[in-house]
Every structure is written in C-alpha cells, then in structure tokens.
Amino acid sequence: MDDSSAAYIHLVHRLIEECILFNMSKEECMEALSKHANIKPVITSTVWKELEKENKEFFEAYKRSKAERDCSETETRQRIQNMVSGSSKE
C-alpha cells in the first residue's frame, strides 16, 4: 500500500471516529461520509469492519449502548406525543 492509500484509510478512520462521537450507526456513518466527504460507502464499511475486528469489545459495548439510547429516545418521543395528544383534547 502506498503512502496516499494509507493516508486515505487513516482519514476514513478519523472520520469514522467522529461519527462514533456523534453516536452514529455504521449505516448512518456510511451515508454521512458519502454525502459530506465524498467517500464511497464500501470504503467506510470496509474500514469500519476492520476497526470492529481490532476493537471487538469496544464495538460490542458501543452497539449495546446505542441500542439502549435509541430505545430511550423512542420512549421519550412516545411520551411527548402522548402528552401533546392529551393536552390537545382539553
């Protein structure tokens, strides 16, 4: 692998880390990097998979945490919707 390829992979790696800081899923990260950094989803997916292999425990915990947050956000949205619906009937 030449220096430019290594630099590109390193860039994608850094951008994936930024996506993780924003609690994005792999799919959300692939979409964001494609749209905003013109990085093909297959490249993001490949680098993400390699990171998962190298940091298995981190990604297992990250996926669990993200699933819990997503569930909590869904419950919160439902409660707000119920409150809004209830107050409009009064």
Side-chain angles (χ1 to χ4, degrees):
M1 177 173 13
D2 63 14
D3 288 343
S4 64
S5 295
Y8 185 69
I9 290 170
H10 183 71
L11 169 67
V12 175
H13 178 156
R14 267 191 325 102
L15 292 172
I16 288 172
E17 288 175 347
E18 292 292 321
C19 290
I20 289 170
L21 290 174
F22 285 103
N23 298 310
M24 292 181 171
S25 67
K26 177 179 167 184
E27 291 72 21
E28 291 167 331
C29 182
M30 289 167 48
E31 183 178 332
L33 296 188
S34 176
K35 182 177 179 180
H36 300 291
N38 202 30
I39 295 172
K40 292 181 181 176
V42 68
I43 302 294
T44 303
S45 179
T46 302
V47 175
W48 185 291
K49 286 177 189 174
E50 288 303 311
L51 291 171
E52 283 182 319
K53 285 182 197 173
E54 294 171 13
N55 305 282
K56 190 172 185 164
E57 290 177 5
F58 169 81
F59 277 94
E60 287 172 356
Y62 180 71
K63 286 178 186 175
R64 276 193 308 274
S65 175
K66 179 149 181 40
E68 289 169 6
R69 272 192 309 278
D70 290 349
C71 183
S72 178
E73 288 174 12
T74 300
E75 290 172 1
T76 301
R77 267 193 234 95
Q78 186 61 46
R79 287 183 186 147
I80 291 170
Q81 184 62 41
N82 290 344
M83 288 176 10
V84 170
S85 296
S87 67
S88 66
K89 292 177 184 176
E90 295 174 8

